[in-house]
Amino acid sequence: MKYLLKKILELISSLLSQIIPKNKKLVLLGGSQRNNYNESSRYLYEYLNKNNDDGYFIWITSSKEVCKYLKEKGLPAEYYLSLKGIWYYLRSGLVICNGTVPLGLVNLVGKETIKITINHGCGPRSTIGIDPNIYISKNELAKDLNIFNFFNFTSDFTSLEIGRNEYLLPENKIINLGFPRCDHLLNKIEVDKQKALKKFLRDNYSMLNKDSKCILYAPTWRPSHHPSQKKFPLEFMDDFDYFSFNSWLLENNIYLFISGHDLSNKDYLINDLSHFIYLKKNDFFDINLVLPEFDFLLTDYSSIATDYMLMMRSVIYYMPDYNFYLNEYGLLEDIKENMPGPIVENMESLKNILLEMSESKNENQDLIY
């Protein structure tokens, strides 16, 4: 019955989207998820509303908190299930998102509406590897990606290797404009100041002091059939032990902040660990705004490494399933041949590298404090 109702709703919305004319000046934007106010589209949305009077740039969201917040700031926003929100979907001349699924609701955004993705990230794992629980084949995924009229990349290399060779996009759909979320990371004086002050982290985590070092551990998403979906990735280290590592972190005044992927399992972590902290996230949380505050980044194949290195900071890599990604799921290239940071394989090497990096003092620390 639910399936039948869904199909009827899709048919009605498709017919409405074909009948109702589009307003080419009406542009809808959204975050990484329907409720989030984040990612590159957030920065683009704020810029367009500040600098362009020739259009209607509207944030559409499932979060009533986000909608209220933006309206109070004098920014145009609408709740996605309101009558006005549905009307905006039907009338939109252009929709902009960050991921691989166009912004829309059932079939209210029709074929005549231009669909753009700014793109979520460009890292070594940006291949057309598939999760069998989501896509049956690579061709099926490529077909979905080609729904977009324009697909944004960050360089000639990513446009060719990812856009053309992986996603099978025609040349006329590929644009190369970079990520708005990264612009602030290029201001070295400001990001170094943020690193020293750690305002967001210290406001939200009172246990931190001015000498605390903060690691951001941001492992990438793993496909559902991969064993690490049910296991905290650091557990793959032979000598890993939660309590002994927590004691070492405590002794050295270092905190391990964990930013799990939205699709990752978060049930594996032990709760009684003072220096293992899951970042508190709400509808307004945007990792790129907090990124400058972290002293080190520990990651694997995630595109967050590229963003972090824009600040001219070192990245530590832990890649326990490298052979799986290289030979089965897919990497753009054998990145071990040209790594931009140290690779750790056990706890001892991770501790040594963290201590070595901790000795390098932020040159702005004394000035700020």
Side-chain angles (χ1 to χ4, degrees):
M1 187 56 142
K2 287 183 179 179
Y3 177 79
L4 179 60
L5 288 173
K6 181 183 176 183
K7 288 299 177 185
I8 293 172
L9 183 60
E10 288 177 351
L11 178 61
I12 293 171
S13 59
S14 293
L15 290 172
L16 286 173
S17 69
Q18 292 176 36
I19 296 169
I20 295 175
K22 309 305 173 192
N23 180 352
K24 292 183 179 179
K25 292 186 177 183
L26 177 59
V27 181
L28 304 184
L29 301 96
S32 59
Q33 304 290 329
R34 205 189 297 272
N35 59 303
N36 297 136
Y37 183 54
N38 65 355
E39 269 285 354
S40 285
S41 53
R42 168 180 177 166
Y43 302 91
L44 179 61
Y45 162 76
E46 292 175 358
Y47 175 85
L48 290 172
N49 277 294
K50 184 178 180 180
N51 295 279
N52 194 327
D53 296 325
D54 190 28
Y56 307 96
F57 306 102
I58 298 167
W59 192 268
I60 195 153
T61 177
S62 63
S63 170
K64 292 185 177 180
E65 277 189 271
V66 169
C67 195
K68 180 183 177 184
Y69 167 80
L70 293 175
K71 286 182 177 180
E72 287 176 350
K73 288 179 67 70
L75 291 167
E78 196 55 55
Y79 183 63
Y80 81 123
L81 286 181
S82 66
L83 288 177
K84 189 177 281 189
I86 292 170
W87 179 246
Y88 283 155
Y89 279 126
L90 289 167
R91 283 279 282 155
S92 58
L94 194 153
V95 294
I96 300 175
C97 70
N98 301 287
T100 54
V101 178
L103 186 65
L105 179 66
V106 267
N107 292 331
L108 293 175
V109 175
K111 294 180 180 179
E112 298 302 313
T113 299
I114 296 172
K115 303 167 186 65
I116 298 176
T117 176
I118 306 178
N119 204 347
H120 170 62
C122 285
R125 196 187 58 82
S126 297
T127 65
I128 206 163
I130 61 167
D131 183 335
N133 284 353
I134 302 174
Y135 284 100
I136 298 171
S137 68
K138 292 185 176 184
N139 286 338
E140 184 186 34
L141 174 55
K143 183 180 177 182
D144 271 9
L145 297 178
N146 271 273
I147 290 174
F148 288 100
N149 299 88
F150 298 101
F151 212 115
N152 179 50
F153 294 92
T154 55
S155 66
D156 291 339
F157 173 81
T158 55
S159 295
L160 175 63
E161 295 298 329
I162 303 173
R164 293 286 286 136
N165 296 344
E166 288 291 330
Y167 295 174
L168 307 180
L169 297 168
E171 190 174 344
N172 65 342
K173 288 190 175 185
I174 295 173
I175 52 178
N176 178 3
L177 301 175
F179 294 155
R181 72 182 189 208
C182 293
D183 290 354
H184 69 287
L185 301 177
L186 300 173
N187 185 335
K188 180 167 174 55
I189 293 175
E190 185 58 31
V191 296
D192 282 350
K193 181 179 178 181
Q194 287 180 259
K195 179 182 175 182
L197 287 175
K198 292 182 171 46
K199 185 179 186 316
F200 172 87
L201 293 177
R202 293 181 67 191
D203 284 350
N204 287 276
Y205 305 95
S206 58
M207 73 288 288
L208 299 180
N209 58 52
K210 72 181 185 68
D211 297 316
S212 299
K213 296 291 183 180
C214 299
I215 315 167
L216 175 62
Y217 180 41
T220 192
W221 166 76
R222 262 77 177 175
S224 58
H225 62 292
H226 192 277
S228 64
Q229 273 285 12
K230 299 178 181 178
K231 198 172 183 179
F232 187 58
L234 292 182
E235 290 182 24
F236 286 92
M237 290 182 175
D238 291 336
D239 58 344
F240 177 76
D241 178 80
Y242 280 108
F243 297 104
S244 64
F245 188 44
N246 189 70
S247 297
W248 183 88
L249 292 170
L250 172 63
E251 179 184 340
N252 291 281
N253 196 15
I254 299 174
Y255 290 85
L256 182 73
F257 286 86
I258 301 156
S259 178
H261 194 283
D262 289 339
L263 298 178
S264 296
N265 179 14
K266 299 178 179 62
D267 297 332
Y268 36 54
L269 196 61
I270 297 172
N271 291 322
D272 300 328
L273 299 168
S274 61
H275 284 54
F276 282 70
I277 304 170
Y278 258 114
L279 277 170
K280 300 171 186 173
K281 297 182 179 181
N282 57 28
D283 293 347
F284 298 91
F285 182 81
D286 190 329
I287 190 63
N288 277 75
L289 290 177
V290 188
L291 203 56
E293 299 190 14
F294 290 99
D295 298 281
F296 325 113
L297 173 66
L298 174 62
T299 188
D300 40 41
Y301 326 98
S302 173
S303 61
I304 197 172
T306 312
D307 295 2
Y308 194 77
M309 283 186 285
L310 290 174
M311 298 183 289
M312 304 304 291
R313 298 183 190 173
S314 299
V315 176
I316 306 168
Y317 288 88
Y318 173 59
M319 304 179 289
D321 42 12
Y322 187 80
N323 289 333
F324 166 79
Y325 272 96
L326 181 64
N327 300 314
E328 296 182 44
Y329 192 84
L331 295 176
L332 291 175
E333 57 187 356
D334 188 350
I335 58 173
K336 276 190 176 180
E337 294 181 357
N338 189 27
M339 290 299 294
I343 303 173
V344 298
E345 296 183 353
N346 53 56
M347 289 308 303
E348 197 61 34
S349 62
L350 176 58
K351 290 176 184 177
N352 289 337
I353 287 169
L354 287 174
L355 286 178
E356 182 181 329
M357 289 184 171
S358 294
E359 291 174 1
S360 59
K361 192 177 184 182
N362 184 347
E363 60 265 34
N364 292 327
Q365 192 94 10
D366 291 333
L367 177 65
I368 291 168
Y369 283 106

